Amino acid sequence: MFAIVTTFPAVVYTVLLGAAVVYWLFVMIGAIHLDHADGAADGIADGLDHGHGVDAAGGDGHEAHGLAGIMEALKLRSAPASVVLSVVVLFSWIFSVLGAQAAAAVLPAPSPVLGAAKLAVFVLAPVLALFPTSIAIRPLAKLFAPPKAVASKDLIGQVCTVRTGTVTDRFGEATLEDGGAGVVVRVRVESGEKLSRGQQAVIVGYDDARHEFTVAPMDVLEDEEAVGDAKKAGSRRSG
């Protein structure tokens, strides 16, 4: 068993699993703040959340594909990315160990066939891990659900700061100042727009069904206000 977990492909996930254990130990002792550290993990997940397509009617549409589509279908966004990635690593390690053991039992060693089988195990392990991860995180998702008081139209008009790598029409989180550590809310922008980490935005709407806020970039609103002021000034001069 020791030889399996310390050789390819399991050794890669053994190292990642060890890093995840150390990370959560630091979270438990307070050396790392979960809300802040989770932003980095969300940045990794951003890379999977992309893809644009054309709908059946021929118009412009958006659709998830590949791993991003699987993540959306399995509701892997229901818990913080750091939690999801840690559980994915755990199941990837389990599948890689089992796969390596099975390959070593039925294939001669050393051989090119065994090497190819191990490479296949390495690639497939995290993909297969998504499915049990989806089941495992659903009870945990309730622990990380935002307070109901935050999901309110009373927040419309407030300024928030993007905490994830990007904010699109399908994914994103931002922080609202509350006098303490801040409140994290799910945010979206209109189709075609995009915000980056650290940008400020104004909450302009709320979706009750999805519990998501719609935000608009600060610079766009400022430009619209400037145009409005210029029109008012022109009207006064012409009057």
Side-chain angles (χ1 to χ4, degrees):
M1 180 66 177
F2 180 77
I4 293 291
V5 301
T6 56
T7 56
F8 185 82
V11 65
V12 177
Y13 299 111
T14 299
V15 172
L16 292 176
L17 184 59
V21 171
V22 172
Y23 165 80
W24 287 110
L25 286 175
F26 276 112
V27 171
M28 291 173 63
I29 65 177
I32 297 178
H33 196 286
L34 180 60
D35 287 340
H36 295 160
D38 190 58
D42 279 316
I44 297 174
D46 286 345
L48 299 177
D49 191 32
H50 68 282
H52 301 276
V54 178
D55 58 23
D60 292 334
H62 298 276
E63 57 182 14
H65 62 88
L67 286 180
I70 295 176
M71 290 181 68
E72 184 173 345
L74 296 178
K75 302 186 184 301
L76 294 179
R77 293 293 196 186
S78 60
S82 56
V83 176
V84 175
L85 290 175
S86 297
V87 179
V88 167
V89 168
L90 173 61
F91 282 112
S92 298
W93 179 81
I94 293 173
F95 287 135
S96 66
V97 170
L98 295 177
Q101 286 180 323
V106 300
L107 297 174
S111 70
V113 177
L114 179 59
K118 288 184 175 181
L119 181 60
V121 169
F122 173 73
V123 174
L124 291 176
V127 178
L128 295 175
L130 295 176
F131 299 95
T133 298
S134 173
I135 298 173
I137 68 168
R138 290 180 187 181
L140 298 175
K142 297 179 181 179
L143 300 176
F144 297 98
K148 291 184 178 179
V150 174
S152 170
K153 294 181 180 179
D154 294 338
L155 296 179
I156 294 176
Q158 292 197 26
V159 176
C160 59
T161 303
V162 176
R163 70 185 290 269
T164 48
T166 59
V167 172
T168 66
D169 58 340
R170 292 181 292 114
F171 168 75
E173 289 183 350
T175 303
L176 280 166
E177 296 298 332
D178 63 348
V183 177
V184 177
V185 292
R186 298 172 64 183
V187 294
R188 304 291 185 266
V189 292
E190 295 294 334
S191 178
E193 294 181 349
K194 191 174 183 180
L195 293 171
S196 302
R197 189 193 309 277
Q199 278 191 266
Q200 287 192 320
V202 177
I203 296 176
V204 295
Y206 180 70
D207 189 325
D208 290 300
R210 297 187 177 186
H211 305 292
E212 299 170 351
F213 293 94
T214 302
V215 298
M218 284 286 292
D219 53 355
V220 172
L221 294 180
E222 290 172 354
D223 290 343
E224 291 179 351
E225 290 178 358
V227 171
D229 292 342
K231 288 182 178 180
K232 290 179 181 179
S235 299
R236 287 195 296 268
R237 286 196 297 268
S238 61

